[in-house]
Amino acid sequence: IGYSNLLRLTTDSFSSSTTPSPLSINYFCIIMESKIILRNMASICFWILFVSSTLLFSEAFIINSQSSCSSSIVTKKANSRISPYLTAVNINHQAIFNDLDTMYTDASKNIKCPFWKRRVADSIDNVAMVLKFLLIRHKSLLNDVPIIGWEDLLEVPGCKAVGTRNPDGSVCKFKNLPLEEIRTTIYNDWSIKNDRGYYITGRLNSTIYRDYCMFDGPDPDMPVRGLRKYLAAAGNLFDTKHSSAKLLQLKVLENDDGKYGYGVLEAYWRLGGVLMLPWRPKVKPWSGWTRYHIDKDGLIAFHEEGWDISVLQAFVGTLFPELGDRIWEQDSEEIRNKSNV
């Protein structure tokens, strides 16, 4: 009631012919700030509960894993008090991440539905990220034993390196290539001969991408962090035999330095086919664009996507194709004419 009266008095002051007083302006600012705080309070409480429960689960997971290997740690300490113990603890926690990676791989292979596959992948990645945070920030979980130098070994499965390996075991990356060479590589990834590029197959040349590349777009399942996770999702979203992704244009944007200031490429495409959902819905072709943002090392670090249709139109067209045709018949005709041109 107090807020309502204060808001009424303040708005009356602003709507009057006279200049509002400084006190009214202060009241108005207080109301606006209070509304923002109250509007976000529910969201803040939800995330506090979610993070707290996740931390407790992860801590219990680590402690249980430590106790299962306690006997091996004691054996290691027989020869030395520090080095073997440190090695045993780190191997123990690295084994946890190896187990998570195995779970991630099995889920990618065995779960056919793209919706549930993404949900499982996100859950495994979230657990891995919380565990990594706990191991790096909360040393008490490691009995105050530092793990400096081991952080990079604790990889989140979705951001794990993929692609061709060098003789030393590292993943091959072609850094600081000219933009035209990057354009040629992207062009080849679109498989112009059969119009079944990486949007359909989930296969591309990973040597020009960051392993933790961010993929963003209108799709409700985006953004996606990690080249491995994105390719796993893309490779199981469309039926490769009845779907196509046609590249219409690919160019280097001369007057745009991109998100990181080192250049950006832009592609226009037309995409359509059959989704690998249980009822196998057929998606009518729609067009869109993709921008490839280059970072300081000459690698694609941000994959930005846009559609010429709304998310609502795509959603309704997938679940209720006939209804979507009736509502957006004119828009579909314009997209087909644009694609033919």
Side-chain angles (χ1 to χ4, degrees), residues 19-58:
T19 303
S21 65
L23 182 61
S24 297
I25 296 176
N26 289 335
Y27 284 159
F28 183 78
C29 294
I30 292 173
I31 292 173
M32 291 298 101
E33 293 177 0
S34 300
K35 287 180 66 177
I36 294 173
I37 294 174
L38 293 173
R39 184 178 60 188
N40 293 329
M41 188 62 67
S43 177
I44 293 172
C45 292
F46 168 78
W47 282 111
I48 290 175
L49 292 173
F50 172 77
V51 172
S52 299
S53 60
T54 308
L55 289 175
L56 290 174
F57 166 76
S58 302

Side-chain angles (χ1 to χ4, degrees), residues 137-153:
R137 300 299 181 186
H138 297 274
K139 306 301 184 184
S140 60
L141 295 176
L142 298 175
N143 298 322
D144 297 326
V145 178
I147 57 169
I148 297 175
W150 287 87
E151 292 91 335
D152 295 336
L153 297 177

Side-chain angles (χ1 to χ4, degrees), residues 266-281:
E266 185 175 63
Y268 287 92
W269 42 262
R270 185 177 74 251
L271 182 64
V274 177
L275 296 177
M276 295 293 288
L277 294 172
W279 64 95
R280 292 295 189 272

Side-chain angles (χ1 to χ4, degrees), residues 293-310:
H293 297 263
I294 312 300
D295 67 3
K296 62 179 181 179
D297 291 325
L299 297 174
I300 299 173
F302 185 52
H303 183 283
E304 182 184 12
E305 180 181 316
W307 298 348
D308 291 339
I309 62 174
S310 66

